[in-house]
Amino acid sequence: MVDTPGKITLWQVEIFVAAAEESSISAAARRLGASNSAVSQQLSNLESALGARLLERGERPMPLTAAGEMFLKRAQAILNEAAQATAELTVRDMSSRVRLRLGMIEDFDADVTPALLMKLSETMPKARFLLETGASHRLLDKLETRGLDLTVTAEPTDLSSSLEVHPLLQDPYVVVAPKRMIRDQAKMLDVLRAKPLIQYTSRHVMGRQIAAHLTRQNLVLSHRFELDSYHSIMAMVARGEGWTILTPLGVMRAKRFMDRVETFPLPFAPLSRQISLIARRDDEQDMPATLAATIRPLISEEIVAFCQGRMPWLGDQMKVLG
């Protein structure tokens, strides 16, 4: 592509936003399917057109300059307006969509996500998909800063009113203990008090929700370990190092340990989290509702049926929403 000197192109803006979000030329190039040299050259052309340096390219990770911080907000708005214009011209026709940036909670990574992408590839044959998995709070941050079009996350209590929410799944919290640790459910709480809690990290939404609930129950429990990996937590429980509180979805993520642990309802007030599809209000017209309707049957088939089969006592505590 030949750029007119002094002019800013949409391609340059998209490259700059990718480089700013990835903090790396090479990562931005991989994301956009371009070469490192092309990305670097377009950034140089953009900086020349603006008369300002936007990125500190000599540092790793690559930070924004003060001018870059200022321009990033404008650049994201430019890309959003371009996407909105495209959406308006292809009203309600998902088959004409050319790009979808989708955030997906890690809990759906192995079961729901592959099936969803296959369905979307059929209904959106022209689209290029950018999928990002991660913790809920990071995905929501990217959605609000326009790094993602839609995201599936655990819904926090303080969600911005600028976002629209499509509920997908009610995922209750359960006790996970080593086999034969809990012999009498009537005395479960006494046993749990005497054993160490292997705690899910409070740096994530789920961990904070668990910690706040325990505080409301006036429960002070012994814990030495605070981890952010379902597999690590389940491995330690399976070895008899303690017990934990997770959701059936979290337990399912570490299936290899399921035969060495047992799950029970919480021996105090119940608690659950809600998984939802979230989008910026009015940005995507009817796509969020359409996508949510596509995801719900996959959740029912791939997750809820399995969990209720392994934990029949769950009943409708775990259910598809909406």
Side-chain angles (χ1 to χ4, degrees), residues 198-225:
I198 300 169
Q199 190 167 330
Y200 189 77
T201 179
S202 57
R203 295 192 304 275
H204 292 182
V205 172
M206 191 167 104
R208 291 195 295 272
Q209 195 174 18
I210 294 169
H213 192 62
L214 292 176
T215 298
R216 288 193 295 271
Q217 307 308 308
N218 295 314
L219 283 172
V220 179
L221 300 168
S222 167
H223 71 277
R224 294 177 57 202
F225 301 101

Side-chain angles (χ1 to χ4, degrees), residues 102-109 113 131-142 148 151-154 200 204-205 228 230 253 273 275:
L102 177 64
M104 186 67 71
I105 191 172
E106 292 168 318
D107 306 55
F108 283 177
D109 203 21
T113 303
L131 177 73
E132 182 161 339
T133 58
S136 293
H137 65 281
R138 294 196 183 98
L139 295 176
L140 285 169
D141 285 346
K142 279 216 159 186
L148 293 171
T151 188
V152 173
T153 69
Y200 189 77
H204 292 182
V205 172
D228 68 352
Y230 293 140
R253 284 271 292 170
R273 64 173 181 165
I275 310 294

Side-chain angles (χ1 to χ4, degrees), residues 232-281:
S232 296
I233 291 172
M234 288 284 286
M236 292 188 72
V237 172
R239 288 177 51 183
E241 301 295 334
W243 62 280
T244 192
I245 297 174
L246 291 177
T247 67
L249 191 51
V251 174
M252 183 181 170
R253 284 271 292 170
K255 288 179 181 176
R256 58 183 288 198
F257 300 109
M258 289 184 71
D259 291 335
R260 296 162 58 191
V261 303
E262 293 179 300
T263 57
F264 304 92
L266 296 180
F268 39 80
L271 176 69
S272 64
R273 64 173 181 165
Q274 179 170 299
I275 310 294
S276 299
L277 184 143
I278 302 174
R280 292 183 300 276
R281 197 174 296 280

